Amino acid sequence: MTQLADVHDTRDTHDTQDTGSELHVMDIPLDFGTVRWCDRCQRPKPDRCHHCSVCNRCVLKMDHHCPWLANCVGYRTYKYFVQMLLWSFVLCTFFPVVGFCLLLLDT
C-alpha cells in the first residue's frame, strides 16, 4: 500500500481591504512518482489507465468497450474505431445511392 504524504500547513494571511477578514492559503504537496497498482489485475497501472470489466485488463486512455469490435476503444485502437465508423457511413450511403441509380437506369 502506498503511504500518504505529510501535509504541511503553511498559512499566509492576507488582509483584504473591503471586509478586513483574513484569507488562509494552504499549500498541499503532491506525491508524484509513486507506482499505482490495479486492484483487479494486480499489475502496475500507468496514468490515465482504466480497468475494463468486460476484457478484464487495463486499457490506456480507455473510452469505452465496443461490443461490435469486441474490444476496448482506447489509445491504441481509437484510430481504427474512427476508421470503422467512417467506412460504415460511406458504405451505408454508397449502396443505397448506387441501387437507386441502377433502379432509375432500368426504367
Side-chain angles (χ1 to χ4, degrees), residues 17-69:
Q17 296 174 357
D18 297 341
T19 60
S21 63
E22 294 180 350
L23 297 175
H24 298 286
V25 178
M26 187 167 78
D27 295 330
I28 300 174
L30 299 175
D31 190 17
F32 292 110
T34 59
V35 177
R36 296 184 316 151
W37 286 88
C38 180
D39 295 333
R40 295 184 182 157
C41 49
Q42 298 299 320
R43 293 186 181 170
K45 185 176 178 181
D47 292 337
R48 297 177 304 274
C49 188
H50 300 284
H51 189 86
C52 178
S53 60
V54 179
C55 294
N56 200 21
R57 63 185 175 124
C58 288
V59 180
L60 186 63
K61 288 188 178 180
M62 181 179 169
D63 189 14
H64 67 283
H65 183 86
C66 182
W68 293 288
L69 297 176

Side-chain angles (χ1 to χ4, degrees), residues 57 59-66 69 71-87:
R57 63 185 175 124
V59 180
L60 186 63
K61 288 188 178 180
M62 181 179 169
D63 189 14
H64 67 283
H65 183 86
C66 182
L69 297 176
N71 201 1
C72 288
V73 177
Y75 180 72
R76 294 186 179 114
T77 58
Y78 194 75
K79 172 186 168 183
Y80 304 111
F81 178 71
V82 171
Q83 285 179 353
M84 187 223 28
L85 290 179
L86 176 71
W87 284 111

